[in-house]
Amino acid sequence: DKVHAPVVILGTGLAGYGVAREFRKHDTETPLILITSDDGRSYSKPMLSTGYTKDTSADDLAQLDAGSMGQQLRASVWTMTRVTEIDTAAQVIKVGDAQTAIHYSKLVLALGAQVIQPPIGGDGAELVYSVNNLLDYDDFRTAMKKNNVRKVCIIGGGLIGCEFTNDLLNGGFEVEVVDPLGHCLPTLLPEAAGKAVQAALEEKGATFHFGPLVTEVNKAEQGVVVSLNNGATITADLVVSAVGVRPRIDLAKASGIETNRGIVTNRLLETSAPNVYALGDCAEVDGHVLVYVAPLMAAARALGQTLAGEPTPVVYPPMPVTIKTPACPVVVAPAMGGVEGAWQIEADGHNVRAEFRDAGGMLLGFALTGEATRAKLELQKALPAILP
Ligand code: FAD
């Protein structure tokens, strides 16, 4: 029956394991099941883009395997198991071939985000990698070795593209980056700050192509040839695609749960279906899609209490994001979508202090590079909370 049925969490990333841990602080008795389509090893996803700097293999990054996580959480962890259907009326999920059905008392969707696949032609797709989980990371590292890679072409100059650029340069590789927009981290930084990151990475040896789109990747005698829509070509041994991620909403949508950019929730992390919750990269919490670690930790703390019977709304303080480009450190606190304001910028070489303020002078966001990152705490204190 529904009351004695387990709490079920879909996903064992930082959000899934995080909420399981928080739940167990308040409830040690209720049966708990975690289900994941990967191998269930726990790891810190941000470390996937520092692997050459820190010389870490996938096994180095894996903290505990699924069995040990299950023991620690007094939970059953089902690995390599894809959930294909949620019957929100009967409170049942179906896994794999849909032969197995599990009743839940409460269900948590912690399904993460999926990489956006740009429409790229050519016959070189097998040498195009995206790195969004530990298994991808293992494949990527293996391919780098096996193909004797010396030069990598990165598609996308955003957060993940720039972090991989810096990391691969640190690893001694040659790197060329293509982005259709005008500067590094174009959706997060004003131009002056993006140009500072670009200059610092160029000094370390990177080459950037801003403006064009990649149209094709084709096999060459050695590695691949990457074609751009401005007629230029880039030769490389391997390609990393890093054009961004989008919340994984398909399963929720197909199950009749309300979705928008992400799986829609209120501040209690409740979705439109009774006893179904969402958090992490897959969720749109009170209008906010924030695909970073700090928001999912805040959500996990609140939801852990809610699942244990103490309804607790999530609070999002200001949460600046640190971008792991040590050639030019970056801290950015994007302004909330839709707010009106203007950038005020002070620039001195790689050090850029950019403050986004409204007409009344109120600070709404900021972007800091180089030594200007020292102002992080001071500015963070002046920012309004995202969800007070
Ligand atoms: P995920 O870790 O993606 O977990 C999703 C889980 O759902 C997985 O276990 C998957 O197997 C499972 N799943 C999916 N579909 C199904 C299904 N149908 N059935 C069963 N299971 C399913 N953030 C920061 O704040 N700072 C950083 O420095 C930073 N660096 C990053 C660097 C890189 C290279 C990347 C890729 C991301 C980075 N991020 C960073 C973002 C951060 O890592 C993510 O916000 C966070 O890890 C998301 O966790 P999650 O648990 O929501 O999703």
Side-chain angles (χ1 to χ4, degrees), residues 11-15 36-38 45 81 83 111-112 281 291-293 324:
T12 56
L14 292 170
T36 175
S37 52
D38 64 26
K45 189 180 276 199
T81 306
V83 174
L111 297 164
D281 282 6
V291 291
Y292 304 108
V293 176
K324 301 182 295 297

Side-chain angles (χ1 to χ4, degrees), residues 3-248:
V3 178
H4 294 100
V7 168
V8 176
I9 299 172
L10 307 187
T12 56
L14 292 170
Y17 277 141
V19 71
R21 214 173 267 125
E22 292 297 327
F23 175 60
R24 279 296 185 232
K25 288 183 185 166
H26 309 288
D27 179 331
T28 53
E29 298 299 321
T30 304
L32 179 62
I33 299 177
L34 290 102
I35 302 178
T36 175
S37 52
D38 64 26
D39 62 9
R41 288 188 287 180
S42 77
Y43 72 104
S44 173
K45 189 180 276 199
M47 306 283 282
L48 297 181
S49 48
T50 57
Y52 286 99
T53 307
K54 298 190 172 155
D55 193 20
T56 41
S57 68
D59 287 341
D60 294 334
L61 287 189
Q63 287 150 356
L64 288 176
D65 65 18
S68 312
M69 286 306 291
Q71 256 176 359
Q72 200 180 80
L73 296 164
R74 272 152 291 141
S76 156
V77 183
W78 300 22
T79 59
M80 300 301 180
T81 306
R82 182 166 292 282
V83 174
T84 49
E85 210 181 313
I86 306 167
D87 180 340
T88 58
Q91 296 197 192
V92 164
I93 57 168
K94 306 220 172 117
V95 301
D97 52 10
Q99 298 298 306
T100 311
I102 307 166
H103 259 284
Y104 59 84
S105 58
K106 296 191 169 95
L107 177 67
V108 177
L109 307 177
L111 297 164
Q114 64 200 64
V115 296
I116 296 170
Q117 305 278 4
I120 292 174
D123 65 6
E126 70 200 52
L127 280 166
V128 181
Y129 286 79
S130 38
V131 183
N132 189 37
N133 61 46
L134 206 49
L135 299 172
D136 292 345
Y137 180 76
D138 208 6
D139 289 347
F140 163 66
R141 303 262 305 186
T142 305
M144 290 285 286
K145 256 209 187 110
K146 192 184 118 212
N147 295 292
N148 230 327
V149 169
R150 294 173 59 183
K151 181 171 168 195
V152 178
C153 174
I154 298 185
I155 307 176
L159 184 150
I160 292 172
C162 283
E163 289 193 354
F164 269 98
T165 299
N166 202 142
D167 189 49
L168 288 164
L169 291 171
N170 286 353
F173 301 97
E174 217 183 306
V175 184
E176 284 196 48
V177 185
V178 186
D179 193 296
L181 300 178
H183 54 84
C184 287
L185 301 149
T187 60
L188 289 171
L189 300 185
E191 185 170 2
K195 295 265 190 217
V197 177
Q198 177 185 345
L201 292 171
E202 281 171 348
E203 278 167 33
K204 279 187 78 77
T207 304
F208 288 91
H209 304 259
F210 288 113
L213 283 165
V214 171
T215 54
E216 289 194 2
V217 176
N218 286 291
K219 280 190 217 155
E221 214 169 301
Q222 261 264 307
V224 290
V225 176
V226 179
S227 306
L228 314 186
N229 69 352
N230 63 0
T233 58
I234 298 167
T235 57
D237 301 309
L238 185 142
V239 178
V240 172
S241 172
V243 302
V245 296
R246 71 162 72 95
R248 206 174 263 122

